[in-house]
Amino acid sequence: MNLPSPQKEIYAKERFTALEAQRLAQEIAFGPVVFQVSRLMVKFGVFELLAKNNEGLSLQEVATHTGLSIYAAQVLLESSLTIGTIMHKDDKFFIAKAGWFLINDPMARVNMEFNHDVNYLGLFDLEKALLHGKPEGLKVFGDWPTIYEGLSQLPGQVQKSWFGFDHFYSDHSFDDALPIVFADRPKTLLDVGGNTGRWSQRCVAYDSEVSVTIMDLPQQLALMREQIKDHPDARRIHGHGVNLLDREVPFPKPFDAIWMSQFLDCFSEEEVTSILSRAARSMTPSSRLYIMETFWDRQKYETASYCLTQISLYFTAMANGNSKMYHSDDMERCVRAAGLKVEEIFDGLGFGHSIMKCKILTY
């Protein structure tokens, strides 16, 4: 496994003193408690209240302003104090840097809501998911083989957090991705796993001549059609309903560009290779395939790599049981096995996305 700097240096040696490691071990042991306390400090407005009162607030004042009982406020504040999200001085509580980030960093908020609403209950069955290769935690919501078949039937808040998470990461990269994909002026584009059509809508708005076809599950296309019905260029967005896990399902052709954004991380390496192989068979020498993913080894900051490797366990327990956030070497291996070649890689798009621009191998 190849790692760039600074990850290579960080992961090659012990990062903690004995006391720091002991503390980390206890933070892990109490992880579920720490998560829920911190989430409720956000939900009940305690962090925000402290952030607005630089002079600090007493326990009684926190309870009064939030409507919490003295007991509820006290246990939350005492827990948060030892977590490190707040501080205490002269009988007053103050917000600390970590608490500030929990209310002001949009990524932290999105990740917290996603983990609470989508993952929290199902992660109890992570062990079974790892042993069986199936998303055993998904049964808390319904009896589907993967979460994708059940997206339209998830409880409202769960669905909101799932799409909020998905859109947050993808939408922030679209502005950077559009010039890359349209540098070759494609007239036809196949949006594979296009979900609710957010990328396709951006494409037809960006280029007045392009025609986009979304290739996805039929139930996803129904959601997409509802989402784009009022878009002024909806007539240039089409649907092609298939089950991409069916190895006999070919890709439609010909398309100048094939787009896969946050899509291949939904599949195992074997499935990724199958999908890319079928895509390759539909391509001509002038076609290009664009894979946009948040590869955990190509992140500028180690914190992003940390988040992405934790997100992999969502796929294990909840989504499908066999996919992950990929290392770029693993994805490139699948690309080569499918008869394709990575022509160029673009890094640093949005919140840590990369694009692999691929063409078919010619001999």
Side-chain angles (χ1 to χ4, degrees):
M1 180 172 64
N2 294 316
L3 291 172
S5 296
Q7 285 98 324
K8 181 182 292 186
E9 289 77 17
I10 291 173
Y11 300 143
K13 59 185 179 182
E14 175 63 65
R15 286 184 275 169
F16 308 105
T17 66
L19 284 176
E20 289 169 341
Q22 183 185 43
R23 165 73 183 211
L24 177 59
Q26 296 307 321
E27 289 177 348
I28 292 168
F30 283 98
V33 179
V34 171
F35 175 82
Q36 290 296 351
V37 165
S38 302
R39 184 185 71 85
L40 293 175
M41 289 285 282
V42 173
K43 182 175 182 178
F44 293 153
V46 182
F47 285 144
E48 186 174 359
L49 180 66
L50 294 177
K52 291 178 177 178
N53 290 271
N54 294 330
E55 71 284 1
L57 294 173
S58 67
L59 168 61
Q60 181 63 63
E61 288 170 327
V62 170
T64 299
H65 285 296
T66 59
L68 294 170
S69 68
I70 290 291
Y71 169 78
Q74 187 176 32
V75 293
L76 288 175
L77 288 167
E78 290 177 351
S79 173
S80 298
L81 183 63
T82 59
I83 290 168
T85 52
I86 65 172
M87 301 175 289
H88 185 262
K89 183 179 180 181
D90 298 331
D91 211 28
K92 299 277 188 178
F93 292 95
F94 304 81
I95 194 163
K97 291 177 183 177
W100 186 92
F101 275 109
L102 284 171
I103 58 174
N104 288 289
D105 181 356
M107 186 183 296
R109 294 291 294 271
V110 165
N111 287 342
M112 180 171 278
E113 291 168 3
F114 178 69
N115 277 317
H116 177 68
D117 293 326
V118 179
N119 298 329
Y120 199 83
L121 295 177
L123 280 171
F124 186 84
D125 286 319
L126 176 61
E127 179 180 350
K128 290 181 181 178
L130 287 166
L131 294 174
H132 300 162
K134 296 179 180 179
E136 299 286 1
L138 184 57
K139 66 176 178 289
V140 300
F141 297 125
D143 186 23
W144 308 291
T146 72
I147 200 169
Y148 310 108
E149 286 94 333
L151 274 179
S152 62
Q153 302 171 62
L154 290 174
Q157 183 58 43
V158 177
Q159 194 176 106
K160 179 182 176 182
S161 293
W162 191 96
F163 281 111
F165 176 86
D166 183 72
H167 293 161
F168 176 82
Y169 285 95
S170 62
D171 289 5
H172 283 88
S173 61
F174 285 169
D175 286 342
D176 295 330
L178 284 165
I180 295 171
V181 174
F182 283 90
D184 296 331
R185 300 301 301 272
K187 294 293 183 289
T188 57
L189 184 146
L190 182 65
D191 183 1
V192 185
N195 214 324
T196 55
R198 293 170 78 89
W199 166 254
S200 294
Q201 292 179 69
R202 293 294 301 274
C203 288
V204 295
Y206 187 84
D207 189 305
S208 61
E209 296 183 9
V210 72
S211 174
V212 181
T213 298
I214 297 176
M215 186 179 184
D216 211 326
L217 292 165
Q219 52 267 48
Q220 285 303 107
L221 294 182
L223 288 174
M224 176 273 292
R225 292 187 177 99
E226 179 64 26
Q227 290 292 320
I228 72 165
K229 64 181 181 182
D230 296 323
H231 194 280
D233 295 304
R235 60 184 176 78
R236 288 191 283 128
I237 301 176
H238 316 284
H240 184 77
V242 297
N243 177 7
L244 282 156
L245 287 178
D246 185 342
R247 294 174 179 271
E248 302 302 316
V249 172
F251 270 53
K253 58 182 179 180
F255 284 88
D256 298 328
I258 299 175
W259 172 255
M260 299 180 182
S261 172
Q262 292 184 184
F263 171 70
L264 293 178
D265 55 35
C266 301
F267 302 96
S268 68
E269 285 195 33
E270 182 181 3
E271 292 163 344
V272 167
T273 302
S274 169
I275 291 168
L276 290 176
S277 296
R278 283 175 277 150
R281 289 195 289 271
S282 76
M283 295 169 64
T284 68
S286 62
S287 304
R288 292 296 181 268
L289 185 149
Y290 300 87
I291 300 169
M292 187 166 80
E293 291 287 347
T294 45
F295 299 117
W296 72 263
D297 63 301
R298 301 186 75 92
Q299 300 303 306
K300 183 177 181 181
Y301 300 108
E302 195 275 335
T303 297
S305 298
Y306 168 85
C307 292
L308 291 170
T309 54
Q310 310 318 311
I311 291 169
S312 285
L313 282 306
Y314 145 76
F315 291 102
T316 307
M318 305 301 297
N320 52 42
N322 59 12
S323 72
K324 63 192 290 289
M325 304 305 289
Y326 280 99
H327 187 290
S328 61
D329 286 354
D330 297 332
M331 184 60 68
E332 191 162 0
R333 184 173 60 254
C334 294
V335 167
R336 291 195 301 269
L340 295 163
K341 177 183 179 181
V342 176
E343 188 174 32
E344 195 170 358
I345 300 180
F346 304 86
D347 290 322
L349 312 179
F351 288 120
H353 280 80
S354 299
I355 288 180
M356 284 185 174
K357 181 180 179 181
C358 308
K359 63 179 181 180
I360 56 174
L361 282 171
T362 53
Y363 299 98

